[in-house]
Amino acid sequence: MAQVIGGITTSHIPAIAIAIANKSYDDPYWKPFFDAYPPVHEWLADEKPDVAVVIYNDHGLAFFLDQMPTFAIGAAHEYRNEDEGWGIPTIAPFAGNPLMSWHIIEQMVADEFDITSCQEMAVDHGFTVPMQLFWPDRGPDMPTVIPIVANTVQHPIPTVKRCYDFGRALGKAIRSYPEDVKVVVLGTGGLSHQLDGERAGFINKEFDLMCMEKLVSDPQSLTSITRHELIRQAGTQGSELIMWMMMRGALSDEVTVLNQNYHIPISNTGAGTMLLACND
Ligand code: DHB
Ligand code: FE
């Protein structure tokens, strides 16, 4: 049977892709950010997951305001990246895992989570930046991918509780897949940021650190945060915390923190990185 071995979170700020393209890893400005990743690379090289379930939010590339699924799951053979206008290089397509995607979609719908299934889905920086951070070489051990998108773009976005419950059902769906595959679950986005409006540039480090701590010790407690409260505390784009909740829900109840980092790099976003191993 499939096994969920752990989860990894990261911000997906497009400026990171520019720093990667410029190989700015040792630049004093970027070093405190990139220092979080070598321990993740080592863990991935040891564990060699077969499949990466990548939970992110599309920002208008695959879905736009006219068609906005609350939750979408990719079931494609491969996933293309496209130019979104950030000035970041587009990268080669990623191999999908349609058999496992359909298994997850079937199980999620049976569990009463109504899914938009996508046999074609362009992947934006919310997906590609984390993949570049975690698998910079895209070597022979590169896992196949199953992208999962949650709506953070257009009201009404799903509640924090719904996202955590989604993650719990997702974990169950993954573990019921009959093949012996090792699965890592990624949660991308966040932490606090607001890119526009009167509070543009708003960051709430205290809230971010509280969320990182509770995500490990008591994720259920975060489900009482309402969407309005989340945006008040974390900024409009800080709603991206919901992807972290989906990721956490898919892991075992008890997890071990193997690595953790919080840094506020260029741009407007509190960048948290966490590597969580499942204890079961
Ligand atoms: C930034 C952060 C994001 O989450 C995003 O999707 C785009 C830009 C930023 O901080 O610049
Ligand atoms: Fe984003």
Side-chain angles (χ1 to χ4, degrees), residues 157-166 219 222-227 230 239 241-242 245-246:
I157 67 170
T159 64
V160 179
K161 176 177 184 305
R162 186 66 173 160
C163 290
Y164 184 62
D165 292 346
F166 183 106
L222 297 172
T223 62
S224 62
I225 302 174
T226 66
R227 289 166 295 176
L230 180 60
S239 58
L241 177 74
I242 62 176
M245 292 300 287
M246 293 164 73

Side-chain angles (χ1 to χ4, degrees), residues 49-56 73-80 93-101 104 121 123 127 131 135 138 142-148 183-184 186:
D50 304 288
V51 182
V53 172
V54 186
I55 304 173
Y56 72 107
I73 300 184
H77 286 278
E78 70 166 23
Y79 299 92
R80 290 170 295 108
F94 291 83
N97 189 331
L99 270 182
M100 190 167 181
S101 285
I104 291 174
M121 186 155 87
V123 287
F127 177 100
M131 293 305 286
W135 289 276
R138 296 184 70 166
M142 186 73 193
T144 56
V145 297
I146 298 178
I148 299 187
V183 180
V184 64
L186 313 186

Side-chain angles (χ1 to χ4, degrees), residues 12-14 59 86 125 193 195 240 267-269:
H12 57 223
I13 309 169
H59 301 72
W86 294 102
H125 67 277
H193 59 307
L195 299 179
E240 290 179 349
S267 186
N268 313 290
T269 301

